[in-house]
Amino acid sequence: SRGDEFREAVAEVLALDPTWVLPGNGSDELLTLLMRSVTGPDRPLVYPTPTYVLYSTLAEIQGAPAIEVPFDDNFALPVELLLAARGTLTIVANPNSPSGTTTQIERLSILAAGLKGLLVIDEAYVAFADDDALSLVQHHPNVVILRTLSKSHSLAGLRLGFVVAQPEVIEGL
């Protein structure tokens, strides 16, 4: 099984169909799956920096170029520069770690609309924010939301994470 009970529970809580949910052994396993599925030697990973250090490590393991786009002094998401980098996979932690800053959903929507590759919005710390980007999945087939129960639910030892994406993306993963 693919964690059907967990998928159904997530789907019920988030008011989604279970086919839009893929569980994993924490969000790090799902990040690894995304890297293996989407990036490679000629398929770059793009992300703003500073951010979660595992992104660059996973790109290196996969042999994928990692294009780091610096935040400005206010940690505003550099949407235009991220678009110009043309990643096959672009990751934005929202809220960002380590800065704790957030990006407005409208800015993330502009980024999603302009990308040809996948946009992963890593919401590991979303429980500590005022908003989430879940609605973007409905409107953008290239958006993947990544969540974990490790942080806000204090379940790090259980290793429960999941992605929310349109069913075609879930099936591909």
Side-chain angles (χ1 to χ4, degrees), residues 66-150:
I67 301 171
E68 297 183 343
V69 178
F71 280 105
D72 69 13
D73 291 341
N74 297 316
F75 283 93
L77 189 69
V79 171
E80 294 75 18
L81 295 174
L82 291 169
L83 288 170
R86 296 184 158 170
T88 55
L89 181 62
T90 301
I91 300 180
V92 175
N94 196 45
N96 187 46
S97 172
S99 67
T101 52
T102 58
T103 298
Q104 293 177 329
I105 301 309
E106 294 77 19
R107 303 257 311 142
L108 292 169
S109 183
I110 291 167
L111 180 59
L115 288 174
K116 290 191 173 154
L118 281 185
L119 172 60
V120 174
I121 302 170
D122 184 347
E123 293 192 336
Y125 294 96
V126 74
F128 307 107
D130 293 331
D131 201 2
D132 65 54
L134 199 57
S135 64
L136 294 182
V137 176
Q138 303 283 339
H139 305 294
H140 300 283
N142 63 330
V143 170
V144 175
I145 303 294
L146 178 64
R147 294 209 181 156
T148 177
L149 302 185
S150 297

